[in-house]
Amino acid sequence: MTAAERANDVTGWKEMKKYPLSLDLNKVLQVAESLENIVCRCFGPEGGHVLFIKSTGDLLITRDGRKILESLLLDHPVARIVVHSACNHASVTGDGVKSFVLLLCGVLRELQAAINKKDLILSGGTTRNQNQGHVLKRLSNLMMTFQTEILENIIVKQLSPHFETVFLKETNTLSSRTIQSVLDTYFSGRIGYNNRAFISRLVADYFHRCLPHNKSIADVVHTVITCFSELHTEVLGEPIENSKIISGIVLHRQFAVYCPSGGKIRAVIITEQFHQYLSASDVTFAVCSDAQLHLSQIFLRQRTEKLMKHLQNMEVRLILSTVKQPEIVLFYAKQNGISVVDCLPAEEIELVRIITGASSLSTAYGDIVSRQHLDTFLITCCQPVLLGSRKYVQLTFSRSLTLLPHSLVICGPVKGLTEQLVSAIHSAFKMLQQLFQPVVTNCVGLDTAKNQGCCKTRKRESVQEQNVTCSKYQKDSVCECNSHGISLNHSPESIKCGGHIGSRIINGDIVLQMNSPIDNTGSVLPGGGTFEMLLNFYLQSFAKQCQDAELALVCSVVGNALLNIPQNIYKAKKRNTCFLFKYAQFISALKNNEAIETSQLGLESASCKYQLVASVLHCISKLVAIDYIVGVKCIPPNTTNDESTDDV
């Protein structure tokens, strides 16, 4: 039985004939653990790859958590909810799907153990006299209360002193070494050992080349993510080591007319044909004689010739067109030394507009001839470039409004591997976007019926204004857990900083999100389970002092579940690297205020790590509140009423 079949067969889903089907925490845990058994084999820097054999006989070898889960043919609703939530999390942070599943299973196991305890106390009585569904719904509400009232406070007050930053203290500029370490850690979970170092250096180099000195880092990263399809070129049949960065952008078309020209070149963008036909759909033409027809054709041809001549007089040497230009236009363009690239995708034209700020030029004869100044832009180089076996057009710009444009040439021996590299690099910039996110929002309402992608937001207040003291649950002196300092020696270039929390909407679902204020963006901390062990220590300390039994229980549950991630990291390492030994050593140093060497662990985004915990808590709050699965009949998408319906 395959992994997907095990996930579908859990709780007898394949044999389920009667509706509704009751669903308890144990069944949810079984489904989640079936997914955990799949992803844990490829988790961490030492994890392996997963081999998929499609029904067509094609092979897929990958260790990308999102690709693995999306490749499973899952029918069980719970499994599909988990995969959907994990993929939404990856849409924000660029990765973390495998960690999402591991942490989810850890929390569910701890919840199951807590529910089984007969002395578990909740408001209104004990579990001995309560229905389990009532207990789980109460715990579901406590999860979200814990996230907003307790976890946020601990992150800001307890963990933030352990954070480092990607900015240099002396100059407030980016630290190349720190960015490289963050990318090394990221790609260690996405790419095989042989290529991860090369790809990490390539992406770090590309990131620094695209940064102008006077623009926001977040804006540059956002532009790269939005236009990534136009900013990279895939080359098949070559080794990965041949991947490179070239200046400017690559237009994925060939020259219709190429006229070499030295120095700076003035270019225009058009979206219509220059030459007008008598047979155009919006033209009414009455033919009285053959001579009149012939004269009309001559007139239109001379009009096109004058347009090209006028463009030459205006020093235009390049035309970028979204439509195919007629042969007569290409003929007169070549006579006037004007290069033409036509049939360009609208996305590539839009990228040129973003970079240069230029707009499209009207092809009307009067509009062009009457203008003394055309809406043109300068490029420093326009030449054909051979990438693999195909010819493209390379443009380099004299100035840019957003980023310093560069193109990634990503090589791979086969299509599947190349696509995985492209996906990993694209997701790396999503991780960097989360790292440099300056805006803090908090979702206070959602109307999915009207708009799945919108939510009402309000600006978060500062921690001082919120005055989060947890006085509702305990005394202020108890809330302020003793902060045991620990020196995480990683880089002499780093300084400490803190962070705040927000949220956003992905596909109609609330995805809780941590963002840093403008002066504290770029928070990072050592990898190797450091965040999880730190948060475990402070949550357990808080639980011991908390006077509210319910919140103490949730703190203990989440704290213990966090250790599932470092356990799986060290499980794949050498036998002499035991997790229990590492954990005991870490906690001892934390209590005794001793330094721990973490230079070999790499760096991870603190914002992404908090996003992981918040997303898992939100997913669990939905899962544990489900009592029944109800089967309904509906018409599948893209079908007519005459076609048969399926059970969902």
Side-chain angles (χ1 to χ4, degrees):
M1 181 180 293
T2 65
E5 290 172 341
R6 287 197 300 269
N8 292 327
D9 195 49
V10 168
T11 71
W13 176 255
K14 295 179 67 175
E15 287 78 20
M16 186 181 67
K17 300 297 183 183
K18 298 181 180 179
Y19 298 96
L21 177 70
S22 63
L23 190 68
D24 56 24
L25 184 62
N26 184 54
K27 294 178 181 178
V28 174
L29 178 58
Q30 291 181 42
V31 175
E33 285 182 336
S34 66
L35 298 176
E36 182 187 33
N37 292 334
I38 301 172
V39 301
C40 68
R41 294 182 174 91
C42 56
F43 180 71
E46 308 297 329
H49 290 73
V50 176
L51 171 64
F52 287 94
I53 303 178
K54 300 181 181 180
S55 58
T56 58
D58 296 335
L59 300 179
L60 173 63
I61 303 175
T62 182
R63 58 182 314 214
D64 180 359
R66 181 169 187 170
K67 187 69 174 179
I68 291 172
L69 293 186
E70 289 181 340
S71 298
L72 298 175
L73 302 177
L74 299 174
D75 294 327
H76 200 290
V78 171
R80 294 165 68 180
I81 290 175
V82 173
V83 172
H84 179 73
S85 299
C87 292
N88 283 348
H89 167 72
S91 299
V92 175
T93 64
D95 198 13
V97 172
K98 290 175 282 190
S99 298
F100 183 98
V101 175
L102 292 176
L103 182 57
L104 178 77
C105 290
V107 176
L108 290 175
R109 277 192 289 265
E110 293 294 328
L111 280 178
Q112 183 65 58
I115 292 295
N116 293 336
K117 291 182 180 179
K118 296 182 180 180
D119 58 347
L120 177 63
I121 299 177
L122 290 176
S123 60
T126 64
T127 57
R128 191 176 302 177
N129 301 320
Q130 287 178 325
N131 180 271
Q132 189 187 80
H134 170 74
V135 175
L136 292 177
K137 287 181 176 61
R138 175 63 180 161
L139 287 176
S140 173
N141 295 332
L142 283 174
M143 285 287 179
M144 304 312 298
T145 302
F146 161 78
Q147 191 274 325
T148 55
E149 301 293 341
I150 305 300
L151 184 59
E152 176 178 349
N153 190 55
I154 290 179
I155 291 289
V156 173
K157 294 183 178 181
Q158 307 292 333
L159 263 68
S160 60
H162 304 294
F163 293 166
E164 302 172 5
T165 180
V166 296
F167 296 101
L168 297 176
K169 181 178 181 180
E170 297 79 8
T171 60
N172 198 30
T173 57
L174 278 178
S175 168
S176 301
R177 183 185 303 178
T178 307
I179 290 292
Q180 184 68 67
S181 181
V182 172
L183 290 172
D184 287 344
T185 305
Y186 171 82
F187 284 112
S188 65
R190 294 288 299 268
I191 296 178
Y193 179 80
N194 294 332
N195 301 312
R196 67 179 61 160
F198 171 78
I199 294 297
S200 178
R201 290 193 301 269
L202 182 73
V203 174
D205 186 20
Y206 180 82
F207 172 68
H208 288 290
R209 290 193 189 187
C210 289
L211 288 179
H213 298 290
N214 58 344
K215 294 297 180 181
S216 167
I217 297 176
D219 293 340
V220 173
V221 176
H222 175 73
T223 303
V224 172
I225 294 173
T226 305
C227 305
F228 188 74
S229 297
E230 293 75 49
L231 290 173
H232 84 274
T233 303
E234 300 178 27
V235 178
L236 304 182
E238 294 192 11
I240 296 176
E241 292 75 12
N242 286 0
S243 300
K244 59 183 178 180
I245 302 171
I246 60 178
S247 60
I249 66 172
V250 174
L251 303 178
H252 297 89
R253 292 291 186 270
Q254 296 187 34
F255 279 104
V257 173
Y258 178 55
C259 300
S261 178
K264 293 186 177 181
I265 302 172
R266 191 169 296 278
V268 295
I269 299 173
I270 62 172
T271 57
E272 302 172 351
Q273 289 186 350
F274 268 112
H275 184 72
Q276 186 177 3
Y277 288 100
L278 295 176
S279 59
S281 58
D282 57 345
V283 174
T284 301
F285 179 70
V287 180
C288 299
S289 64
D290 292 342
Q292 183 186 18
L293 176 62
H294 182 67
L295 290 176
S296 299
Q297 292 174 339
I298 293 176
F299 169 78
L300 293 178
R301 186 165 60 249
Q302 292 175 346
R303 172 185 176 275
T304 301
E305 182 181 6
K306 291 180 181 179
L307 282 175
M308 292 294 105
K309 187 65 176 179
H310 182 73
L311 291 178
Q312 183 195 39
N313 296 335
M314 299 296 292
E315 299 182 349
V316 173
R317 294 294 179 267
L318 176 64
I319 296 175
L320 302 179
S321 172
T322 58
V323 298
K324 184 172 179 59
Q325 295 297 328
E327 290 295 330
I328 189 172
V329 174
L330 303 182
F331 173 78
Y332 287 117
K334 189 172 183 62
Q335 277 194 343
N336 291 277
I338 301 176
S339 301
V340 179
V341 185
D342 57 5
C343 300
L344 285 169
E347 295 78 9
E348 293 186 355
I349 291 293
E350 182 62 27
L351 175 60
V352 174
R353 290 196 184 106
I354 292 174
I355 295 173
T356 63
S359 58
S360 301
L361 179 66
S362 173
T363 58
Y365 180 80
D367 292 344
I368 296 179
V369 175
S370 61
R371 289 187 182 183
Q372 295 182 354
H373 300 283
L374 300 178
D375 191 0
T376 61
F377 57 93
L378 292 177
I379 58 178
T380 57
C381 178
C382 173
Q383 63 183 9
V385 58
L386 181 64
L387 299 177
S389 59
R390 297 186 178 182
K391 285 185 178 181
Y392 301 107
V393 177
Q394 178 187 3
L395 299 182
T396 56
F397 300 88
S398 60
R399 66 181 183 90
S400 174
L401 299 179
T402 53
L403 77 164
L404 301 178
H406 289 76
S407 292
L408 267 174
V409 180
I410 304 175
C411 302
V414 293
K415 182 178 180 180
L417 179 58
T418 308
E419 290 177 347
Q420 292 184 46
L421 291 175
V422 171
S423 175
I425 295 173
H426 190 198
S427 298
F429 282 98
K430 293 182 180 180
M431 180 271 294
L432 292 175
Q433 182 185 42
Q434 180 72 9
L435 178 63
F436 294 107
Q437 182 63 254
V439 180
V440 181
T441 58
N442 183 32
C443 185
V444 297
L446 174 65
D447 188 359
T448 56
K450 293 182 179 180
N451 193 336
Q452 287 187 339
C454 298
C455 69
K456 299 178 181 179
T457 62
R458 61 179 176 86
K459 192 174 182 179
R460 292 295 301 264
E461 299 173 345
S462 65
V463 176
Q464 291 79 9
E465 293 172 340
Q466 288 177 331
N467 192 22
V468 182
T469 61
C470 305
S471 58
K472 178 180 178 181
Y473 308 110
Q474 70 227 20
K475 297 179 181 179
D476 292 346
S477 59
V478 177
C479 178
E480 295 292 341
C481 301
N482 295 329
S483 178
H484 300 279
I486 180 173
S487 176
L488 299 177
N489 297 331
H490 186 87
S491 172
E493 299 175 320
S494 301
I495 61 175
K496 306 295 179 65
C497 63
H500 291 170
I501 296 104
S503 63
R504 65 185 293 186
I505 301 297
I506 298 292
N507 296 333
D509 288 343
I510 301 175
V511 181
L512 299 174
Q513 183 178 10
M514 173 181 179
N515 296 295
S516 300
I518 295 177
D519 57 343
N520 279 332
T521 57
S523 299
V524 295
L525 75 168
T530 301
F531 175 86
E532 289 78 13
M533 290 188 285
L534 278 172
L535 188 54
N536 166 267
F537 174 78
Y538 289 118
L539 286 176
Q540 295 298 349
S541 300
F542 183 89
K544 292 176 182 178
Q545 302 178 37
C546 183
Q547 297 178 355
D548 190 293
E550 296 178 353
L551 287 175
L553 168 66
V554 176
C555 289
S556 180
V557 165
V558 177
N560 292 332
L562 285 165
L563 297 181
N564 194 33
I565 292 178
Q567 281 176 352
N568 281 272
I569 292 177
Y570 289 102
K571 182 171 65 174
K573 292 181 177 291
K574 298 179 181 178
R575 294 183 178 180
N576 59 355
T577 308
C578 177
F579 166 72
L580 294 178
F581 172 76
K582 283 285 186 181
Y583 179 69
Q585 185 183 41
F586 187 90
I587 296 301
S588 175
L590 190 59
K591 291 180 178 179
N592 299 327
N593 195 21
E594 298 176 354
I596 294 181
E597 179 61 35
T598 59
S599 59
Q600 303 299 322
L601 300 178
L603 291 173
E604 295 179 314
S605 168
S607 177
C608 292
K609 298 301 291 185
Y610 185 86
Q611 170 73 34
L612 171 66
V613 180
S615 297
V616 169
L617 291 177
H618 180 68
C619 179
I620 290 177
S621 68
K622 295 190 300 182
L623 289 176
V624 299
I626 299 175
D627 290 326
Y628 296 98
I629 299 176
V630 180
V632 297
K633 287 182 175 294
C634 68
I635 300 176
N638 302 324
T639 60
T640 61
N641 294 332
D642 296 333
E643 295 178 349
S644 61
T645 59
D646 297 329
D647 290 338
V648 177

